Structures are given as structure tokens and as C-alpha cells.
Amino acid sequence: MEEPPAAIRTRGLSKRYRGGQLAVDGLDLVVPRGSVFGFLGPNGSGKTTTIRMLMGLIEPSSGTAEVLGEPMPRAGRRVLPKVGALIEGPAFYGFLTGRDNLLRFDAADPTADPRTRAARADAALDRVGLVAAAGKKARAYSLGMKQRLGLAAALLQPRELLVLDEPTNGLDPQGMREIRTLVRELAADGATVFLSSHLLDEIEQVCTHAAVMAQGRLLTQGTVASLASSTRGRLAVTTPDTADAVRVLKELGVSDLVVVDEHVTGELPATTAPDLADLNAALVGAGVRVRAFGRERASLEDAFVALTGEGFDVAG
């Protein structure tokens, strides 16, 4: 059976550093063309090492990586002009303006037509909301402005694939919203966007697919909807009789009970979980006035915690 077209495909991709540390371990990743793909994992999970191998910046110890159907790093000269990348914080000349930095980036691209260079730089600045700051020296840019300038550099040419490592790093909430909108627009234009992030709500809002990494290994991958739905949501009960509800639910094996105002939530037992109708009947039978009862929709964060057994490292 023919494999579906993938923007990125790895098979057994591994990277072991000289000290023996296995940073990426047997990664089999498939990023469908046209997807907005979220690459999730706590600090040290192997995300950036994976991205560096995909872009040909470091060699894998074993396994293979294909980007846009071509082997990397061997086909880098053919592949990389079709890829825009923002990795580990962009580096700029501090003494040049934002616009002049972009002109220099564009001049380094052998495929770029010098006659339309200025127009490309201006269009990229406009797309990331930096027109007003185009004449400022890059050294005066905030972290968020540098991220925007890095995105502008990635967007100088039409790209089939955009690889963005923490693209909203340092941005205020408004800036984050603007970048999320930009990512959606790029995907609507036909680009595949590969986005690494530690912000789960960001992945949930903009991504169609996601993968979760931990300790160098791929834990799961699939559509965002399927990853969330694979996790059972917490039980949620609305009642003015919260103390009685907690007592009854605890007796029936519900754990991690949390009370906020008139809402009680808890974790259903993984095995021999009681039927929801029986739980509701037990609450009513004990005199608990139940105003609402059901299972909360699981979020991507619930799925992440269920997969890794830990909270998310929000420091990135």
C-alpha cells in the first residue's frame, strides 16, 4: 500500500552524543503535508535535537529522515530553499536595522531575485507586524520583536514547509494571537507548518496534528482531536452539597477530588470504573442534590499528563 504524502518522515531516527547520552531514540514520525503539526514535550525531551537533524544541522547516529520527500541531510541543497525555519531564537546583526537584516538574509539566498528583494522584505515585515519597527536597529528589539523578525526571515520566499521552534517565545498575549492567526493563514495558503511548543493551549488552538515526546522517545502522534479523546475526562458534579458528594464519590473509588464553589471534579478509577449512572444514583440516594453531572471533555494537557505521568515544563 502506498504511503500517504508526508512533509516530514523519520524512521528509527536516533542521536547519541559523545558522552553516551541518547537524546533521540528510534523516532518514527510522520508529518502529513498540509497539516499544522504540534511537536510537544518537556525540556530535554529531544525536540530541538530532532529539528536540528531534520534541517541537516547535525547528523543522526542512526535511522533516516526525509523532508519534502528527500533524504536529509544529503538533499539539503535541494530541500532547504523550500523550507523556512525559525530555530532556537534567530541571530541577527545588532548594528543593522530589522529591514537591513532581512535584505542580507535574502541576499544569501541564491534562488532570490535581487530585483524584487526590497519588495519581499517589506511584505515579510508587514506580515509579522514589524513595519513600524523596520528602521530600528535589531539590538534595540525586544525578544518578541526578534521572534517576529525571525519569522519574517522564514517568510521571505513562499515555503512548502515552515519549521518553527517556540515561535511565540517572548510575545505578549496580543502578539501570540497574531502569530497564531499567521500560522493559520500560512496553512490555508498550502504550507505545512511544523511547530514545537511547550504551550499546550497554543497547540490545541492552531494545530491539526500533534506528537508528544518524552526522554527522547515518541509517546504518541495523531490528530489533536484523537489525542485528546484518547484520554478520559474527569468526572464533574455540580451540587450545593459538596462535602456529602466528596464523601460518596470517595467511597466509590473516585480519587483526586477537587472542590471549587459548587463544582466537584474527580478522577474515575482506571479499572473497574463504576457506571456513571450508578454514581449519579448513589449521589441522589445519599441525599446529594445533583444539578449537573457528567464527564468533562479531556484536553490536550490531560492527554499529556496521562502519557508522561508528569505536568508540563512551562519553562520550555
Side-chain angles (χ1 to χ4, degrees), residues 26-173:
L27 181 65
D28 293 327
L29 187 69
V30 180
V31 177
R33 280 190 187 256
S35 64
V36 180
F37 196 99
F39 199 37
L40 279 167
N43 218 14
S45 60
K47 299 196 310 289
T48 297
T49 299
T50 299
I51 289 171
R52 288 168 67 80
M53 285 191 283
L54 292 172
M55 295 295 95
L57 297 172
I58 56 175
E59 291 259 3
S61 304
S62 60
T64 61
E66 289 180 3
V67 176
L68 300 177
E70 302 251 28
M72 287 293 287
R74 198 164 68 242
R77 284 192 172 177
R78 285 195 303 275
V79 171
L80 293 179
K82 304 174 192 171
V83 179
L86 172 65
I87 303 173
E88 289 188 315
F92 297 108
Y93 293 105
F95 62 90
L96 292 179
T97 66
R99 187 172 188 275
D100 285 341
N101 266 288
L102 284 194
L103 293 172
R104 184 165 284 217
F105 264 101
D106 195 77
D109 183 349
T111 67
D113 183 349
R115 292 168 299 180
T116 50
R117 181 160 295 142
R120 270 196 302 282
D122 290 341
L125 287 163
D126 183 46
R127 195 142 201 204
V128 300
L130 273 183
V131 171
K136 281 176 74 170
K137 295 272 200 294
R139 73 163 70 95
Y141 276 24
S142 66
L143 176 59
M145 290 165 75
K146 285 176 179 169
Q147 287 294 104
R148 288 172 184 266
L149 192 57
L151 269 173
L155 298 174
L156 282 165
Q157 295 274 20
R159 310 289 184 182
E160 288 183 40
L161 172 66
L162 283 158
V163 177
L164 309 177
D165 194 5
E166 300 283 354
T168 58
N169 192 24
L171 295 178
D172 60 17

Side-chain angles (χ1 to χ4, degrees), residues 30 42 47 92 124 135 139 145 149 155 177 192 225 241 249 252 257 259 262 303:
V30 180
K47 299 196 310 289
F92 297 108
R139 73 163 70 95
M145 290 165 75
L149 192 57
L155 298 174
R177 278 193 296 274
T192 303
D241 310 315
L249 292 171
L252 292 167
L257 286 152
V259 179
E262 291 193 344

Side-chain angles (χ1 to χ4, degrees), residues 1-313:
M1 196 171 85
E2 197 174 314
E3 292 179 321
I8 295 170
R9 189 187 299 275
T10 70
R11 294 180 178 88
L13 191 68
S14 301
K15 180 64 181 177
R16 188 183 292 277
Y17 287 109
R18 276 187 190 152
Q21 180 207 354
L22 193 59
V24 177
D25 183 7
L27 181 65
D28 293 327
L29 187 69
V30 180
V31 177
R33 280 190 187 256
S35 64
V36 180
F37 196 99
F39 199 37
L40 279 167
N43 218 14
S45 60
K47 299 196 310 289
T48 297
T49 299
T50 299
I51 289 171
R52 288 168 67 80
M53 285 191 283
L54 292 172
M55 295 295 95
L57 297 172
I58 56 175
E59 291 259 3
S61 304
S62 60
T64 61
E66 289 180 3
V67 176
L68 300 177
E70 302 251 28
M72 287 293 287
R74 198 164 68 242
R77 284 192 172 177
R78 285 195 303 275
V79 171
L80 293 179
K82 304 174 192 171
V83 179
L86 172 65
I87 303 173
E88 289 188 315
F92 297 108
Y93 293 105
F95 62 90
L96 292 179
T97 66
R99 187 172 188 275
D100 285 341
N101 266 288
L102 284 194
L103 293 172
R104 184 165 284 217
F105 264 101
D106 195 77
D109 183 349
T111 67
D113 183 349
R115 292 168 299 180
T116 50
R117 181 160 295 142
R120 270 196 302 282
D122 290 341
L125 287 163
D126 183 46
R127 195 142 201 204
V128 300
L130 273 183
V131 171
K136 281 176 74 170
K137 295 272 200 294
R139 73 163 70 95
Y141 276 24
S142 66
L143 176 59
M145 290 165 75
K146 285 176 179 169
Q147 287 294 104
R148 288 172 184 266
L149 192 57
L151 269 173
L155 298 174
L156 282 165
Q157 295 274 20
R159 310 289 184 182
E160 288 183 40
L161 172 66
L162 283 158
V163 177
L164 309 177
D165 194 5
E166 300 283 354
T168 58
N169 192 24
L171 295 178
D172 60 17
Q174 174 63 23
M176 291 168 77
R177 278 193 296 274
E178 289 169 4
I179 297 304
R180 283 199 290 264
T181 300
L182 177 59
V183 166
R184 289 191 195 100
E185 288 172 357
L186 293 166
D189 288 346
T192 303
V193 183
F194 184 77
L195 168 72
S196 100
S197 179
H198 66 274
L199 301 173
L200 284 152
D201 63 334
E202 180 169 83
I203 297 290
E204 205 151 21
Q205 285 183 54
V206 302
C207 294
T208 58
H209 297 69
V212 179
M213 292 278 288
Q215 298 176 329
R217 297 187 72 94
L218 180 71
L219 298 184
T220 190
Q221 63 184 320
T223 66
V224 167
S226 69
L227 293 185
S229 67
S230 67
T231 306
R232 297 175 316 138
R234 285 168 64 84
L235 178 70
V237 182
T238 304
T239 174
D241 310 315
T242 52
D244 289 335
V246 166
R247 177 181 53 77
V248 172
L249 292 171
K250 194 177 282 185
E251 287 171 1
L252 292 167
V254 180
S255 60
D256 190 24
L257 286 152
V258 177
V259 179
V260 179
D261 299 325
E262 291 193 344
H263 302 286
V264 180
T265 63
E267 203 66 46
L268 291 162
T271 55
T272 64
D275 184 74
L276 289 183
D278 293 341
L279 280 177
N280 194 16
L283 288 167
V284 173
V288 175
R289 291 167 291 171
V290 178
R291 290 182 177 154
F293 181 93
R295 190 177 273 178
E296 291 180 330
R297 188 182 73 83
S299 68
L300 200 54
E301 184 166 7
D302 297 326
F304 181 87
V305 173
L307 284 162
T308 64
E310 61 178 295
F312 210 74
D313 176 6

